Amino acid sequence: MDVRVNDILEMKKKHPCGNNKFLVLRIGMDFRIKCTSCQREVMLPRATCEKNIKKIIREEEN
């Protein structure tokens, strides 16, 4: 998958706060993502994160 830093990921599962959109802070073997609603950071293994992505929202570069 082509996931980049500062992309917003719409996930299949919701965060306990009820939001399902996360900002990508770091990529590698693990993804560090931040909930766009409550601002909590979560670190997930790459395989788990990629499996749960529904949609990637990207600001197009000009």
Side-chain angles (χ1 to χ4, degrees), residues 10-62:
E10 186 175 329
M11 305 296 267
K12 293 178 184 174
K13 296 182 181 179
K14 292 186 178 188
H15 191 249
C17 73
N19 188 32
N20 69 338
K21 292 185 180 163
F22 295 85
L23 176 68
V24 178
L25 301 175
R26 179 178 167 268
I27 54 175
M29 286 301 293
D30 296 320
F31 279 19
R32 182 180 297 265
I33 57 177
K34 181 165 71 169
C35 178
T36 58
S37 177
C38 67
Q39 306 302 314
R40 295 204 185 229
E41 293 184 10
V42 181
M43 200 153 185
L44 296 170
R46 183 180 197 106
T48 304
C49 191
E50 286 183 348
K51 185 178 93 174
N52 290 321
I53 294 173
K54 183 192 277 186
K55 185 167 130 183
I56 299 173
I57 302 166
R58 179 172 296 145
E59 295 290 328
E60 292 300 322
E61 298 175 13
N62 294 330

